[in-house]
Amino acid sequence: MNRRDIIRAGAGTALVIAAGRLGAHPGQEHTMLILGGTGFIGPHMTELALARGWKVTHFNRGKRDADGVENVETLIGDRKGQLDSLKGRKWDVVVDNTGYIPKYEKMSADLLAPNTGYCLYISSISAYASFEKPNDIGSPTGVLANPDQEEITNESYGPMKALCEKYVRDAYGERCAIVRPGYIVGPLDPTDRFTYWPVRVAKGGDMAVPGTPADPIQIVDVRDLVAFMLGLVERRVSGDFNAVTPPGALTMGGLIDTNLKATGADTRITWIDEDFLAANMKPEEMNFAPWGPMRGIEAGGSLTGVSHSLAQGLKSRPLEDIVRDTLAWHETRPAERKAALRSGFTPEREAEILAAWRARPGA
């Protein structure tokens, strides 16, 4: 399913549910502005919001789904100062999933806060200052040296998100929630970070996997994420929330075993020590999310606390369901995207690493 299909799939349901919900409260219509709306999170949030009776507006540049989305109002603009279409409008709720550059986040938050009742800002666990130890709500967040910085890099992304959070809080006070997802997975994921693993397992043959089977991982299915966020929105919950599976609930071994079971592939797994990988690969090649190093400055990155979010209703669907749905969606993608995943090993690099691992002294 593509973005339009996902939203349209809920359109008929939306009309039925909306009739029941809104009919019970004559004259009440709940309005939601999504800043973005057509990427990864946005279509899923739109589909669920429509199904629960919300009237949804998208604000974006109109580059995806240029002819608009069925049952959704589209306002054209740009976060980088082109906000005229938002002026003079009122919404009950703003869902902000495209705020990355602090000075533009401040601009939109200051404009919208007086005319909107509540804001849910989608940040990232990357906002935390350090990952040497596990983080939880209240852990220090990164500090951006130049508040006017616009360039997003591996080093600046987290601190930029942290400053965006501050600007949202400054504008909305207690009328906001900050949600910090980890690796978001599931249908429509453009990063291929999770998709790589079931697709690679399905191909069979000799497969290299980083680390050990016991290494913890944390993810959040996009559909579980939007269900959690919409719950916060509908109850107007204030505060900060991490959005990942509970620490220790999932491991790389569990992920690989689930993929083997789901695909039925005859794939031979070789686990590669993380120090060996670091010594034999360039840093930019170490793109193995949701796995991360268990030693060094990222040792706590896959152990983020979520008790505060669990208490507010965050749930995680079974891993086998995520794998199955991800594979089914992947089969609908264009051939060129199916052939060139943006994460994991390339076939050539995987063969080289496997050969080097087997040729190491003492192997």
Side-chain angles (χ1 to χ4, degrees):
M1 299 178 74
N2 59 31
R3 298 181 191 88
R4 300 175 68 85
D5 291 335
I6 281 181
I7 292 173
R8 284 173 176 162
T13 305
L15 295 177
V16 174
I17 295 178
R21 288 172 54 91
L22 300 181
H25 303 280
Q28 294 186 11
E29 184 173 55
H30 304 287
T31 57
M32 174 186 293
L33 170 66
I34 301 179
L35 300 179
T38 58
F40 179 22
I41 299 173
H44 291 281
M45 175 61 83
T46 299
E47 188 270 337
L48 186 59
L50 288 173
R52 291 191 183 177
W54 287 81
K55 182 180 180 181
V56 178
T57 300
H58 288 171
F59 172 82
N60 53 51
R61 295 174 296 173
K63 293 190 174 182
R64 291 194 184 106
D65 298 322
D67 55 346
V69 174
E70 190 175 355
N71 298 311
V72 174
E73 176 189 26
T74 298
L75 301 178
I76 301 299
D78 194 312
R79 296 298 295 267
K80 295 183 177 181
Q82 298 173 23
L83 307 178
D84 287 351
S85 62
L86 299 176
K87 293 178 179 178
R89 295 288 303 269
K90 295 180 182 291
W91 288 273
D92 295 320
V93 166
V94 177
V95 175
D96 185 348
N97 70 343
T98 58
Y100 300 96
I101 301 174
K103 66 179 183 180
Y104 297 124
E105 181 62 41
K106 184 178 189 307
M107 188 180 300
S108 60
D110 288 347
L111 172 66
L112 290 168
N115 294 320
T116 52
Y118 177 89
C119 178
L120 186 142
Y121 174 69
I122 303 171
S123 183
S124 168
I125 61 170
S126 296
Y128 290 114
S130 170
F131 295 92
E132 290 189 36
K133 297 180 180 180
N135 288 301
D136 206 339
I137 298 302
S139 296
T141 54
V143 177
L144 188 64
N146 175 16
D148 292 325
Q149 179 167 339
E150 296 189 37
E151 182 184 7
I152 301 173
T153 66
N154 287 339
E155 292 71 32
S156 70
Y157 174 74
M160 291 173 81
K161 277 291 194 179
L163 186 54
C164 286
E165 294 180 3
K166 178 182 183 302
Y167 288 151
V168 170
R169 293 190 196 96
D170 288 347
Y172 283 90
E174 294 298 311
R175 298 181 293 123
C176 70
I178 307 296
V179 176
R180 296 171 181 150
Y183 293 117
I184 307 172
V185 307
L188 299 187
D189 177 14
T191 70
D192 298 327
R193 292 180 298 202
F194 181 86
T195 306
Y196 169 80
W197 300 104
V199 169
R200 174 60 189 89
V201 167
K203 289 182 178 178
D206 293 327
M207 178 177 177
V209 181
T212 75
D215 291 349
I217 60 173
Q218 289 182 297
I219 59 175
V220 60
D221 185 280
V222 64
R223 297 159 295 181
D224 296 331
L225 175 63
V226 300
F228 172 63
M229 294 192 301
L230 193 53
L232 297 178
V233 165
E234 292 181 334
R235 300 191 310 276
R236 301 296 196 272
V237 180
S238 177
D240 300 342
F241 302 91
N242 296 325
V244 287
T245 45
L250 299 179
T251 64
M252 275 302 289
L255 174 62
I256 297 301
D257 288 345
T258 300
N259 288 326
L260 287 168
K261 181 179 179 181
T263 62
D266 181 18
T267 307
R268 297 172 295 279
I269 305 299
T270 298
W271 295 89
I272 311 291
D273 180 78
E274 65 178 78
D275 291 336
F276 181 89
L277 289 172
N280 287 271
M281 299 185 72
K282 299 176 182 178
E284 61 270 21
E285 292 179 313
M286 296 281 285
N287 188 12
F288 302 126
W291 179 86
M294 296 293 108
R295 299 186 283 273
I297 61 174
E298 297 182 41
S302 296
L303 295 169
T304 301
V306 292
S307 58
H308 190 50
S309 300
L310 296 177
Q312 289 293 339
L314 177 64
K315 293 180 172 59
S316 302
R317 68 191 60 210
L319 183 59
E320 52 266 31
D321 291 352
I322 303 174
V323 169
R324 181 196 65 229
D325 295 346
T326 298
L327 280 171
W329 163 72
H330 178 70
E331 286 304 310
T332 71
R333 304 171 84 183
E336 61 272 16
R337 283 295 284 117
K338 291 170 67 175
L341 297 181
R342 296 170 177 170
S343 189
F345 287 105
T346 65
E348 297 77 16
R349 200 71 181 98
E350 181 179 38
E352 292 171 358
I353 289 297
L354 284 169
W357 175 251
R358 290 162 180 162
R360 73 192 189 284

